Amino acid sequence: MVSTGDNKAIKKELEQHLEFGGATRFLHWVRAFMIIFLIASGFYIAYPFLQPNANSEPTGFLQAYSRAFHCIAGFVLICASIFRLYLFFFARSSNPERVSILQVFNPIVWFKTIGAYLFIARHPHIKGAYNPLQFCTYLMLSVLTLVICITGVSLYSNVYHSGLGAFSAAWFGWVEVVCGGLANVRAIHHIVTWVFIIFIPVHIYLVIWNSVRYPNGGADVMISGIRYVDKIRV
């Protein structure tokens, strides 16, 4: 309870707003775990440091299993990303995300947002789920996800030549041509992987930073989906 000069009492409360729907939160964690698993398994495939004991039995399939699970996780990431894109454009619960687009074209919000991260300004009031810096970062991440998925499918189709591999080769054979060869496809796939490796700790740090500086549910919003905003009642 806060007193004002005209003897009115102002009661400050927190109001809950649903910022992310259940499907959006579920797909966020699916993609997060798949990306982490893909990074770990991808580096092992590139530099296998475990070797099964040599014997005459057909049991030395560690590399094959690693590659198979890597491919499965990759297709899970592709499916989850497609569904997530659908939710962004068509789900009613994703309206706060769509509203965020308008602020990208507002230079004042940009300056205030950057100032808030530099500790020289207060964070501006934003409409929607993301400030412009967040929105552009996630947009770039979506584009990189598309690149790593397309290059991954191209690499997959060059190893498996029947079934899904044959289908992938028919639809994504142009990727190898555009990139100038399979070696370049692998190099692009590897470089984008490093972008994800850099992004993950920065993303976790900024989520915690925002939650400490602006305690409005930022750290657990991808679990509960709830954002808390000030509600002033006179």
Side-chain angles (χ1 to χ4, degrees), residues 11-159:
K11 186 178 181 181
K12 184 177 180 180
E13 298 178 349
L14 292 178
E15 186 177 47
Q16 292 184 353
H17 284 271
L18 180 64
E19 193 159 287
F20 298 107
T24 298
R25 302 195 305 272
F26 173 74
L27 290 174
H28 171 271
W29 291 110
V30 169
R31 294 193 300 162
F33 287 123
M34 289 303 102
I35 289 173
I36 293 173
F37 177 80
L38 284 165
I39 290 173
S41 58
F43 272 103
Y44 176 76
I45 291 171
Y47 306 101
F49 53 86
L50 297 176
Q51 293 295 333
N53 293 327
N55 58 72
S56 58
E57 299 296 325
T59 57
F61 299 133
L62 181 59
Q63 181 75 348
Y65 285 137
S66 300
R67 184 184 294 274
F69 284 118
H70 183 83
C71 292
I72 292 171
F75 282 110
V76 171
L77 176 64
I78 291 172
C79 294
S81 298
I82 292 173
F83 191 26
R84 179 67 178 85
L85 187 65
Y86 169 82
L87 292 177
F88 176 82
F89 284 109
F90 300 107
R92 182 180 301 178
S93 60
S94 295
N95 185 62
E97 296 181 88
R98 294 191 291 269
V99 171
S100 303
I101 299 175
L102 300 176
Q103 296 174 133
V104 176
F105 306 99
N106 189 331
I108 296 177
V109 178
W110 268 102
F111 287 132
K112 290 184 177 180
T113 300
I114 295 174
Y117 283 111
L118 295 176
F119 297 97
I120 59 176
R122 296 183 61 184
H123 198 287
H125 175 72
I126 61 172
K127 297 179 180 179
Y130 310 120
N131 63 47
L133 187 59
Q134 289 174 320
F135 186 88
C136 290
T137 300
Y138 296 144
L139 177 61
M140 181 193 70
L141 194 68
S142 298
V143 173
L144 292 176
T145 301
L146 175 64
V147 171
I148 204 167
C149 287
I150 290 178
T151 54
V153 171
S154 178
L155 293 171
Y156 171 84
S157 64
N158 277 273
V159 176

Side-chain angles (χ1 to χ4, degrees), residues 173-213:
W174 57 269
V175 176
E176 184 177 346
V177 178
V178 170
C179 294
L182 194 62
N184 290 338
V185 175
R186 182 189 178 279
I188 294 172
H189 194 75
H190 186 79
I191 291 170
V192 177
T193 299
W194 274 104
V195 177
F196 279 96
I197 293 173
I198 296 171
F199 168 80
I200 290 173
V202 174
H203 175 63
I204 294 174
Y205 167 77
L206 288 177
V207 168
I208 297 173
W209 182 86
N210 273 285
S211 299
V212 171
R213 194 173 185 196

